[in-house]
Amino acid sequence: MGNTQDAINRVCDYRGLPKIRKGAKCLVDGKEGVIFGGNHSANFNVKFADTGRVLNCHPEYKMTIFLPNGDILYQSKDG
């Protein structure tokens, strides 16, 4: 898997998440980023705005993902 829409789709399918587009804005533990890809751990690769680093992020850990209009598409239970 990698930093592709297909990889993101596989994570969504595996975890039962709504369809999420590459580049969707998100918050992870209060930090701003964008969904950049998916990985073999069935987690998202998130590129963080403050550092530019891409990190492996579990979608059920303090994650909120937004639609382009700013509405919440997905929020983890602890988000």
Side-chain angles (χ1 to χ4, degrees):
M1 291 182 29
N3 296 324
T4 65
Q5 184 63 54
D6 187 53
I8 294 167
N9 294 345
R10 284 185 270 165
V11 172
C12 293
D13 290 344
Y14 180 82
R15 295 207 179 266
L17 300 173
K19 293 294 181 189
I20 295 167
R21 67 174 178 79
K22 183 174 180 172
K25 291 183 180 181
C26 64
L27 289 175
V28 180
D29 198 18
K31 296 183 172 107
E32 293 182 14
V34 296
I35 303 297
F36 196 68
N39 59 57
H40 291 289
S41 299
N43 295 334
F44 293 120
N45 296 332
V46 175
K47 185 172 187 175
F48 286 92
D50 60 345
T51 63
R53 292 179 61 199
V54 177
L55 300 175
N56 172 7
C57 297
H58 195 294
E60 294 176 13
Y61 177 76
K62 298 184 181 182
M63 185 177 283
T64 304
I65 302 171
F66 300 94
L67 292 166
N69 68 3
D71 290 345
I72 294 174
L73 171 63
Y74 166 79
Q75 187 168 39
S76 63
K77 292 178 183 170
D78 61 359

